[in-house]
């Protein structure tokens, strides 16, 4: 009886939570792929020049702005097209561009520094990976090694954003504000020209949102997914130990099976003409990465978006750095996991780390399986409660709607 509840309850509660979120989209949203626009037109619509509205006019934007606060109005992913976005995007590219050799050397140094402090045993893979990306992106921004206090601020902030996005706990704005304050005080130390169209406060928000929210959260999630795949497939793990050159293939397979984005929403700024349908201007387009990955062919793989519609600026850097970190992890540890592995990964990737070359103990893995199933139950209720609260609070605050109602652009 208890086993049946453990298996049944989480899925039902999550389904109910998703129905609540779906109501935020309203009746005018078009989910792609879906009944109106199939998988065959996913890339066609995604790449259309008119699918370039970011936040204005979508009720869903209030929720995303709420999750990504503070400063979502200058977050690179939510700026509307125009000179301001162009200046911000140019700054981001300038900070991220490094040679492959320099990127590998930086990542190896940072990964070694962090992993040397990781203790074997039961861990949460996302938690172990987050300090690596906090240090790496700090160094890209400030061009100096990351001090411990900065790493702690970045990790606390990124963990809070990720936890709120997964609805496992409400957001903690005081925790996020501590990083904002730190960045505001350190603006003069950034060796890169920051966007002049932004005020100093907005520059701090820009750095926080682009590098220490999106970059740190997404890279930590990507690495946790990759390591969970390795932990749950002994043959793959041994192959990568013997043939590290195969890591790229596993990275691609992982990003395809576990896309980092659930729904990417855009607003059409003009009519989009398809063979048998016209999508009117002002339509909220909800691009479902999981559904597209499930129904599309491998050559339609778009883990970093499409070039025509703001592809991820780290698309060149991400695979290089993931490859280096994976090698460093496998050099030190063997991995195993009996926990559930889903795209949203609200359990943060539980796994057992054993020093490479030593014998693995079975008892921790048995305990991990039991613990993970029980955690699914309470976490599902937490997601329902906190998710519902945040949806209602986001609608009450209406951050995006209020911003554009004030004539901002």
């Amino acid at each position: 009886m208890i086993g049946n509840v453990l298996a049944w309850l989480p899925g039902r509660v999550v389904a109910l939570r998703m129905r609540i979120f779906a109501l935020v989209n309203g009746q005018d949203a078009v989910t792609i792929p879906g009944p109106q626009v199939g998988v065959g037109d996913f890339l066609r619509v995604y790449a259309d020049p008119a699918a370039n509205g970011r936040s204005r006019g979508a009720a869903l934007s209030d929720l995303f702005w709420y999750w990504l606060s503070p400063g979502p109005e200058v977050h690179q992913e939510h700026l509307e097209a125009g000179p301001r976005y162009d200046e911000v995007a140019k700054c981001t590219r300038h900070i991220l561009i490094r040679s492959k050799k320099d990127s590998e050397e930086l990542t190896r140094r940072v990964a070694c520094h962090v992993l040397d402090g990781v203790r074997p045993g039961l861990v949460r893979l996302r938690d172990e990976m987050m300090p690596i990306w906090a240090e790496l992106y700090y160094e890209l921004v400030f061009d100096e090694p990351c001090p411990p206090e900065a790493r702690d601020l970045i990790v606390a902030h990124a963990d809070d954003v990720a936890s709120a996005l997964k609805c496992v706990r409400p957001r903690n704005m005081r925790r996020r504000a501590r990083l904002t304050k730190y960045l505001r005080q350190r603006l003069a130390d950034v060796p890169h020209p920051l966007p002049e169209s932004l005020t100093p406060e907005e520059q701090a928000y820009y750095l926080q949102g682009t590098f220490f929210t999106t970059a740190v959260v997404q890279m930590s999630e990507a690495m946790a997914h990759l390591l969970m795949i390795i932990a749950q497939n002994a043959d793959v793990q041994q192959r990568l130990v013997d043939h590290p050159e195969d890591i790229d293939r596993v990275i691609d397979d992982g990003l395809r099976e576990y896309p980092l984005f659930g729904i990417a929403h855009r607003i059409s700024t003009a009519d989009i003409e398809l063979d048998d349908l016209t999508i009117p201007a002002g339509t909220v387009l909800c691009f479902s990465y999981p559904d597209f990955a499930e129904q599309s062919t491998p050559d339609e793989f778009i883990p970093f978006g499409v070039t025509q519609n703001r592809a991820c600026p780290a698309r060149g850097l991400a695979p290089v750095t993931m490859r280096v970190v994976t090698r460093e992890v496998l050099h030190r540890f063997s991995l195993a996991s009996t926990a559930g592995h889903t795209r949203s990964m609200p359990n943060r990737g539980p796994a057992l780390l054993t020093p490479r070359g030593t014998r693995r103990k079975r008892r921790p893995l048995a305990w991990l399986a039991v613990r993970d199933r029980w955690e699914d139950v309470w976490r599902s209720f937490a997601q329902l409660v906190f998710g519902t609260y945040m949806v209602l609070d986001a609608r009450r605050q209406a951050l995006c709607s209020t911003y554009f109602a004030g004539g901002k652009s």
Side-chain angles (χ1 to χ4, degrees):
M1 178 65 179
I2 293 178
N4 290 336
V5 171
L6 291 175
W8 170 84
L9 187 59
R12 296 298 189 274
V13 175
V14 170
L16 178 58
R17 179 173 60 91
M18 294 308 295
R19 286 182 60 189
I20 294 172
F21 289 167
L23 297 175
V24 179
N25 292 333
Q27 298 298 317
D28 297 328
V30 173
T31 299
I32 307 172
Q36 294 173 273
V37 182
V39 67
D41 284 319
F42 184 97
L43 294 176
R44 157 75 182 84
V45 178
Y46 206 170
D48 194 286
N52 67 339
R54 285 287 157 156
S55 292
R56 172 181 269 168
L60 196 58
S61 299
D62 282 330
L63 183 56
F64 278 98
W65 280 39
Y66 179 88
W67 276 329
L68 296 175
S69 292
E73 66 275 10
V74 293
H75 192 293
Q76 183 167 328
E77 280 300 302
H78 288 273
L79 283 171
E80 302 299 321
R84 200 182 205 195
Y85 166 75
D86 294 339
E87 185 186 18
V88 166
K90 181 180 179 180
C91 178
T92 301
R93 290 193 298 270
H94 179 79
I95 291 174
L96 292 178
I97 290 178
R98 289 200 176 200
S99 69
K100 179 181 177 182
K101 180 180 179 181
D102 287 347
S103 298
E104 289 177 336
E105 290 179 353
L106 168 61
T107 308
R108 186 174 296 108
R109 173 165 50 81
V110 168
C112 288
H113 176 250
V114 174
L115 291 173
D116 284 348
V118 173
R119 291 185 175 184
L122 290 176
V123 301
R124 307 278 181 169
L125 291 170
R126 195 195 78 192
D127 296 351
E128 304 301 334
M129 291 296 102
M130 199 167 273
I132 294 177
W133 305 109
E135 290 198 12
L136 189 146
Y137 279 94
Y138 174 95
E139 190 152 342
L140 287 173
V141 169
F142 288 99
D143 198 23
E144 66 179 24
C146 182
E149 63 271 20
R151 188 179 91 170
D152 291 345
L153 288 172
I154 295 167
V155 168
H157 163 78
D159 177 68
D160 188 70
V161 172
S163 298
L165 284 166
K166 298 176 190 300
C167 302
V168 295
R169 67 170 182 252
R171 59 182 195 163
N172 186 326
M173 295 308 295
R174 290 184 178 179
R175 182 177 298 167
R176 302 185 189 192
R178 286 194 282 269
L179 177 59
T180 307
K181 181 180 179 181
Y182 176 85
L183 294 172
R184 180 67 179 84
Q185 294 171 342
R186 294 289 313 279
L187 288 177
D189 299 324
V190 177
H192 310 282
L194 295 175
E196 295 182 357
S197 62
L198 304 184
T199 66
E201 182 180 42
E202 289 174 331
Q203 290 175 347
Y205 287 151
Y206 153 68
L207 293 174
Q208 185 165 353
T210 301
F211 299 100
F212 304 125
T213 296
T214 297
V216 173
V217 169
Q218 296 289 8
M219 291 306 299
S220 301
E221 291 280 312
M223 277 303 307
H225 279 301
L226 174 61
L227 294 178
M228 281 292 284
I229 292 171
I230 294 171
Q232 296 186 333
N233 192 318
D235 291 339
V236 169
Q237 184 165 178
Q238 189 59 52
R239 174 162 58 89
L240 297 185
V241 171
D242 297 336
H243 303 283
E245 65 275 12
D246 290 345
I247 290 175
D248 285 350
R249 184 181 303 174
V250 182
I251 290 174
D252 286 347
D253 290 344
L255 290 173
R256 178 174 175 80
E257 186 174 358
Y258 302 101
L260 297 179
F261 296 102
I263 295 289
H265 79 283
R266 305 287 184 265
I267 301 92
S268 58
T269 55
D271 290 354
I272 299 176
E273 299 289 345
L274 301 178
D275 291 340
D276 55 354
L277 175 70
T278 296
I279 300 176
T283 301
V284 178
L285 307 170
C286 294
F287 295 97
S288 174
Y289 271 77
D291 289 339
F292 177 69
E294 183 178 335
Q295 300 176 39
S296 61
T297 59
D299 61 334
E300 295 175 314
F301 179 56
I302 53 164
F304 303 107
V306 294
T307 302
Q308 302 92 326
N309 197 336
R310 298 193 197 178
C312 174
R315 62 190 182 277
L317 181 67
V320 173
T321 53
M322 290 178 68
R323 183 189 315 128
V324 172
V325 174
T326 304
R327 287 176 177 172
E328 293 300 327
V329 171
L330 291 177
H331 176 70
R332 289 166 172 77
F333 303 107
S334 64
L335 300 85
S337 180
T338 51
H341 186 191
T342 61
R343 189 205 65 80
S344 62
M345 199 162 54
N347 59 7
R348 312 195 314 276
L352 174 65
L353 299 185
T354 306
R356 180 139 314 268
T358 62
R359 187 175 180 179
R360 179 184 301 147
K361 297 179 180 179
R362 295 183 178 181
R363 185 174 297 177
L365 287 175
W367 160 244
L368 179 60
V370 174
R371 186 188 72 181
D372 190 62
R373 294 187 71 185
W374 277 106
E375 285 182 349
D376 267 349
V377 176
W378 71 257
R379 185 172 52 243
S380 297
F381 279 116
Q383 287 178 302
L384 179 62
V385 173
F386 294 140
T388 302
Y389 166 77
M390 286 189 284
V391 167
L392 296 175
D393 198 31
R395 295 184 70 176
R396 178 185 64 81
Q397 294 193 28
L399 297 174
C400 180
S401 304
T402 302
Y403 179 82
F404 286 109
K408 303 293 182 64
S409 61

